[in-house]
Amino acid sequence: IKPNIDYSGKGLSFSDDCARVVSIPTFILPVWSITNVFHLYADLVFPLMNIFYKRYGKIIPENNLIFIEACHEWQNGKIQRIMRGDYSAFGDSPVQVLLKIASNNNKMPIFSKGHLDELKGRTCFTNDLHIGTHNIDTSLDFGLINSVQIGPEEALMKMDNYYLNMKGQVYVEDLKTRFQIQRWSMEYIITRLLGEEEKQTNEPNLVIVIERHGTREIINKKKIDVVVDKIIAKNKVAWKGIDMLRVNVALENKKFTDQLRMFQRAAILITVHGQGAANSIFLPSKCTSAMILIMPKTWFGWRFLYANMALSNGVHVIMYRRPDDKDIDGYDGTGNNDLVNPYRDLNM
């Protein structure tokens, strides 16, 4: 943050050389990539909702000002165009959620932090100014802190009775706090995006298989479809379950709001480690849905990244583990080597 931004504090006096005075809550937030579903929510949306939950008592100020700094340089100068949907095939993408939490019914746009940097003179703030993300108490914070300080084997949110008893009440309360914040956030977001009348009320009946193209493709996906269909048939007849339907989908071919409606009907999400797995936050919560997570070879040490997001939202997680997968595979101890890595992206 450039030094010509001055935080004056609520109700405090400040120097009279301000070129402009901002009197509404202001948020200046970095994000790794605003077009990546995982980073959009883990780096930006959940930390922002965390502030609303704790600082504003679960109320989003009617007027607020949001500045975003994207780590991808091409995005930083095009924040408004990304928000407008210029880079989405349908003009409808996950960033729409930011417009729903922006102030005054979306009438005040979300700006690039570069816009603030280029203003002449000193900018003064007479109300709350929040600089940087508040990752504390998020599912990502849990995974990264434990993986760096203890090791990747402790990065996954474990909730079996044996582990809960071993860890004690402090651990249990910590999980509860993270779960409450994320579930309140998702309840608010889904209601704002779909409306109260469209929220899922019927029993989930879709088995969604996410198809990736280019990296981390499942080479034998047709065989997987056969297995899924057999289990669906068995569910209907032998287990006297509901009539379910398998849906194979490449998410880049669907509008985001259509994706959201589809995920709200999902009982099972089958996906490889990646953005598709981040969509587990849109699945029906309260333990009525599950994600089957397939980790890349030699990458099992990163299984917590998407699993913790799903678990925090009340979604069961089942992970495919090869006999040779180890808890520390692929994790280098820094917490950041999952950003760009060719070994992780191999087909399987």
Side-chain angles (χ1 to χ4, degrees), residues 197-211:
E197 68 283 355
E198 279 199 69
K199 284 170 59 182
Q200 173 65 28
T201 54
N202 298 325
E203 194 166 3
N205 68 335
L206 295 184
V207 177
I208 298 175
V209 183
I210 302 292
E211 294 189 351

Side-chain angles (χ1 to χ4, degrees), residues 184-196:
W184 168 78
S185 301
M186 291 312 303
E187 180 78 17
Y188 181 92
I189 287 166
I190 290 173
T191 301
R192 291 298 295 268
L193 287 174
L194 292 183
E196 194 69 44

Side-chain angles (χ1 to χ4, degrees), residues 226-240:
V226 171
V227 172
V228 171
D229 289 344
K230 284 182 178 179
I231 294 175
I232 286 176
K234 191 172 184 179
N235 174 68
K236 177 65 176 174
V237 179
W239 299 333
K240 299 180 181 179

